[in-house]
Amino acid sequence: MTSRDRETICNSCEHQRNYACTKHGEEWEKLVHNNQFHCEKWGAVPDACSPLEVAVVITSHNYGKFLEECLQSVLEQSQSASEIIVVDDSSTDNTKEVTEDFASKGVKYLRVENRSALFSRHDGYLQTESGVVLFVDADDILPSNYIELGMKEFTNQDVGVVYADHQHFGESTRRTNFPEYSQNRLFQGENFVSTCSFVRREALNLCDAWDRKFDEYFMPEDYWMFQRIALDGWDFKKSKAILNYRRHSSQMSQNRDPIDPKEVYYHSHGLEYQTVTLFIPLAGRKWAWDRLKMFLDRQNWPHDQIKLILCDTSQDDRFSTMVRYWIGDCNYSDVRHFKLDVGLKGLADKNRRDREVQLKVKQSICKIYNQLRLMLETPYCWILEDDVLPPDDVLERLMKHFNVDVGAVTAPYQSRFSGNPVVWMQDGIKNIKPMTPAVPPKPNEPQVAEMRGSGFGCLIARSEVIKQHVMALPVTEDDLDPYFFKSMGDHWRRLCDWSCKSQHWGPDRVYLIGEKKEEIPPGKYGPCCPLCGLPPNESGMVLCGCPPK
């Protein structure tokens, strides 16, 4: 029954007085939208409105010395759990014996040999049937109202997870103050959703956190599970309860192996396991596509962790057919190829010094990247232009530079027009001050450096940074990429990894940072441009953009 059906019944009910229900003492418009309330006038109670029950899954690996106190706290709750199960993962202590002492009180025991907290929780939840599962570590203690306060937060069907603050005891007395939930906040900073959280069964049923194994010494296993649930679109709520969280020297989180300080964020936030959106605008240039498709086959980020979006602006059916043939043969599991009319065929190679062409290029770029904004579903986005070829391992290398305050990382490439890398250190002002170009570091200098901005040729950015920016170009700005970085906000750092120098291709030559340009022999396809010396392409066209002599 929908809320509209409920409204119809309530509107004609004898208990309705001035839009209020005299029987239940509430405005009936609020009652019909409350999924936790059901009136007998509406007929049989649907499952979705049935009171939710909670199962408690306690995982233990050699935590028998803490388990009795934990179980006692679960049994003394003001709102009882419908199921309690202890999952003993490879323990060699008295975990089993302690659990058996509570068997008469309905506590079940499950032995597993996972040596993985993530998979042990999964095995435990599969042994339960309640609508909500509360995961508990055997060394923690629940205050008596923990379940009651947590279950109150499941106010609608969109709530998938309820988490709480911690009061440390043992080797620490710190009290946490976790923030209210947002997906961006969960992925960006420290994990604030702990193991001891309530999770709706439907969210667990849909979650793919158990589809891969990883080293739990590097990345907290509960963080990975909550990341995957968040990407499924579930809402998270913060409970008013406070968990008693024990701190002691035998905790896994206290004994993680050391990680390269430069890669701590990469490992602790699971960046190596993330699916990344790869967005490529295709201008219809066959010479570029031939090289690009070989790079896509070679690049070494797992292809099943790439959401590939090919924005085809070619307006060329033969070109689009070539792209579709490649898609049919490639091993990328998630590919979207769509056509976008930008108004002028072959626009990417038109003379950029023509004002009308300049205007159309700017409009088309805004149109292309607004499409990207609408399609982004992953936490990180890789933008790659069809004429830029970075190193095959570029995505891993750039992702390792992210930290809590880093919004974008670029692989530099040479401009086909200015002869400088498309990286700058200071913003420009239209018609007043040009941007200050970046100078590549020397080989013996650090290769990762701060920047103000870069071109979109090979750029990795947080998706939240892209989605918050409407891709429109004010009359005070010349180009979209400088305006994008100018609008990003100074709280985001931007980095350039100069060790990831990329090839920037034209029809007949490649532009390389700090190296001599590779050229085809002069005169092979006709006379060169008298101003810049660029030779013509195979069709005899000189595409340098210089004004006619």
Side-chain angles (χ1 to χ4, degrees):
M1 176 178 289
T2 66
S3 58
R4 187 180 295 274
D5 296 328
R6 297 175 185 177
E7 287 179 2
T8 302
I9 295 172
C10 289
N11 198 32
S12 59
C13 178
E14 68 271 19
H15 299 295
Q16 190 269 122
R17 294 288 186 278
N18 296 323
Y19 300 101
C21 178
T22 58
K23 181 177 180 179
H24 297 292
E26 183 67 270
E27 292 181 8
W28 58 262
E29 284 191 345
K30 293 182 180 179
L31 296 175
V32 299
H33 294 289
N34 184 351
N35 288 326
Q36 302 301 310
F37 172 80
H38 187 79
C39 177
E40 65 275 7
K41 294 278 188 179
W42 299 342
V45 180
D47 290 341
C49 295
S50 301
L52 287 170
E53 295 185 331
V54 60
V56 177
V57 175
I58 304 172
T59 51
S60 175
H61 173 67
N62 290 332
Y63 276 2
K65 59 185 176 182
F66 304 125
L67 182 56
E68 180 179 355
E69 194 174 9
C70 175
L71 280 167
Q72 202 64 49
S73 74
V74 173
L75 291 167
E76 294 175 354
Q77 291 293 299
S78 58
Q79 178 177 333
S80 299
S82 58
E83 304 169 86
I84 304 173
I85 184 170
V86 174
V87 183
D88 179 0
D89 186 1
S90 312
S91 294
T92 57
D93 66 355
N94 63 338
T95 292
K96 181 178 181 181
E97 289 74 20
V98 173
T99 305
E100 288 175 343
D101 290 342
F102 288 85
S104 61
K105 298 181 180 180
V107 178
K108 298 178 182 179
Y109 174 82
L110 176 66
R111 173 76 180 195
V112 297
E113 301 292 338
N114 292 323
R115 295 190 179 275
S116 163
L118 178 67
F119 284 90
S120 295
R121 293 186 191 111
H122 183 249
D123 289 341
Y125 117 78
L126 290 178
Q127 300 297 315
T128 66
E129 297 179 350
S130 301
V132 172
V133 178
L134 170 60
F135 294 109
V136 179
D137 285 340
D139 54 344
D140 293 332
I141 300 174
L142 305 186
S144 60
N145 61 354
Y146 194 80
I147 291 179
E148 179 184 355
L149 293 178
M151 294 299 288
K152 285 182 178 180
E153 298 300 325
F154 286 95
T155 54
N156 62 69
Q157 289 293 319
D158 294 334
V159 177
V161 176
V162 174
Y163 62 98
D165 271 314
H166 295 173
Q167 175 61 61
H168 291 186
F169 69 101
E171 296 182 1
S172 168
T173 58
R174 186 171 74 92
R175 165 77 179 271
T176 66
N177 183 22
F178 294 137
E180 295 296 327
Y181 170 78
S182 76
Q183 188 181 111
N184 292 337
R185 186 175 285 145
L186 179 67
F187 278 88
Q188 179 188 347
E190 294 293 328
N191 178 33
F192 53 85
V193 183
S194 75
T195 298
C196 197
S197 296
F198 301 82
V199 188
R200 191 183 291 273
R201 177 167 295 276
E202 295 99 310
L204 292 169
N205 291 342
L206 295 172
C207 181
D208 65 356
W210 300 279
D211 289 353
R212 75 164 65 242
K213 289 189 175 182
F214 58 90
D215 192 337
E216 295 178 17
Y217 282 95
F218 285 154
M219 180 185 182
E221 74 292 331
D222 52 341
Y223 188 26
W224 173 249
M225 181 180 73
F226 293 125
Q227 282 188 358
R228 306 311 293 175
I229 292 173
L231 288 173
D232 284 335
W234 293 97
D235 194 12
F236 289 45
K237 294 292 186 181
K238 184 178 176 181
S239 170
K240 293 180 173 61
I242 307 294
L243 172 70
N244 295 314
Y245 184 83
R246 190 188 305 266
R247 300 290 287 182
H248 55 93
S249 58
S250 57
Q251 283 175 306
M252 179 185 291
S253 59
Q254 301 287 85
N255 294 281
R256 300 191 190 278
D257 292 340
I259 307 173
D260 183 340
K262 296 178 181 178
E263 298 180 9
V264 168
Y265 190 87
Y266 178 77
H267 292 293
S268 67
H269 284 64
L271 269 61
E272 61 196 302
Y273 306 117
Q274 297 294 344
T275 295
V276 176
T277 296
L278 171 52
F279 182 79
I280 307 177
L282 299 176
R285 301 179 285 200
K286 184 178 181 300
W287 55 265
W289 171 247
D290 288 342
R291 296 186 180 97
L292 177 62
K293 67 183 181 182
M294 290 190 289
F295 168 79
L296 291 174
D297 290 334
R298 294 192 316 265
Q299 75 82 23
N300 61 10
W301 192 264
H303 291 193
D304 61 350
Q305 289 175 221
I306 290 282
K307 182 181 179 67
L308 179 59
I309 302 178
L310 302 172
C311 176
D312 186 347
T313 64
S314 67
Q315 303 178 57
D316 183 335
D317 290 339
R318 291 182 62 185
F319 178 83
S320 299
T321 300
M322 287 192 299
V323 175
R324 287 196 295 270
Y325 274 129
W326 176 83
I327 293 172
D329 291 335
C330 77
N331 64 351
Y332 288 86
S333 57
D334 189 350
V335 183
R336 180 176 180 188
H337 170 229
F338 72 99
K339 296 181 180 180
L340 183 67
D341 185 356
V342 295
L344 186 62
K345 187 175 180 179
L347 182 60
D349 288 323
K350 298 291 184 183
N351 187 347
R352 299 289 181 94
R353 298 186 182 184
D354 183 291
R355 288 194 174 184
E356 184 177 353
V357 170
Q358 285 181 5
L359 178 61
K360 290 185 180 298
V361 167
K362 293 174 183 179
Q363 291 173 342
S364 67
I365 290 174
C366 292
K367 193 173 183 179
I368 288 168
Y369 287 104
N370 268 319
Q371 290 295 313
L372 169 61
R373 287 180 65 246
L374 299 175
M375 297 178 183
L376 274 178
E377 298 174 350
T378 60
Y380 294 88
C381 177
W382 177 13
I383 298 173
L384 183 65
E385 294 182 350
D386 64 352
D387 56 354
V388 174
L389 295 183
D392 293 350
D393 60 349
V394 67
L395 184 51
E396 178 182 355
R397 291 162 67 180
L398 297 187
M399 290 287 279
K400 286 183 175 179
H401 300 314
F402 275 94
N403 210 320
V404 64
D405 59 349
V406 175
V409 187
T410 197
Y413 58 97
Q414 191 86 337
S415 169
R416 291 191 313 203
F417 305 106
S418 70
N420 295 318
V422 190
V423 182
W424 55 91
M425 301 303 296
Q426 191 173 20
D427 293 329
I429 301 175
K430 185 177 181 179
N431 298 327
I432 298 176
K433 183 182 74 172
M435 296 182 297
T436 304
V439 178
K442 296 177 181 178
N444 61 344
E445 295 177 338
Q447 296 299 298
V448 180
E450 301 278 347
M451 66 172 189
R452 182 60 179 172
S454 72
F456 286 173
C458 184
L459 176 72
I460 317 293
R462 292 184 184 273
S463 294
E464 62 177 293
V465 173
I466 296 174
K467 289 193 285 188
Q468 72 186 14
H469 184 93
V470 177
M471 303 296 180
L473 197 61
V475 294
T476 55
E477 303 294 333
D478 270 324
D479 294 296
L480 180 63
D481 35 8
Y483 179 59
F484 168 78
F485 280 100
K486 189 182 295 186
S487 305
M488 184 186 294
D490 292 337
H491 59 288
W492 289 115
R493 294 170 60 212
R494 314 97 188 273
L495 300 177
C496 176
D497 186 345
W498 291 92
S499 72
C500 293
K501 294 175 182 176
S502 303
Q503 301 174 356
H504 192 186
W505 281 89
D508 303 311
R509 67 168 73 176
V510 60
Y511 297 78
L512 302 172
I513 294 175
E515 296 183 19
K516 185 178 179 181
K517 301 171 184 177
E518 296 184 10
E519 303 179 5
I520 62 169
K524 181 175 180 180
Y525 300 116
C528 302
C529 171
L531 297 179
C532 70
L534 179 69
N537 59 20
E538 296 179 9
S539 301
M541 298 177 62
V542 179
L543 302 176
C544 59
C546 295
K549 188 176 179 181

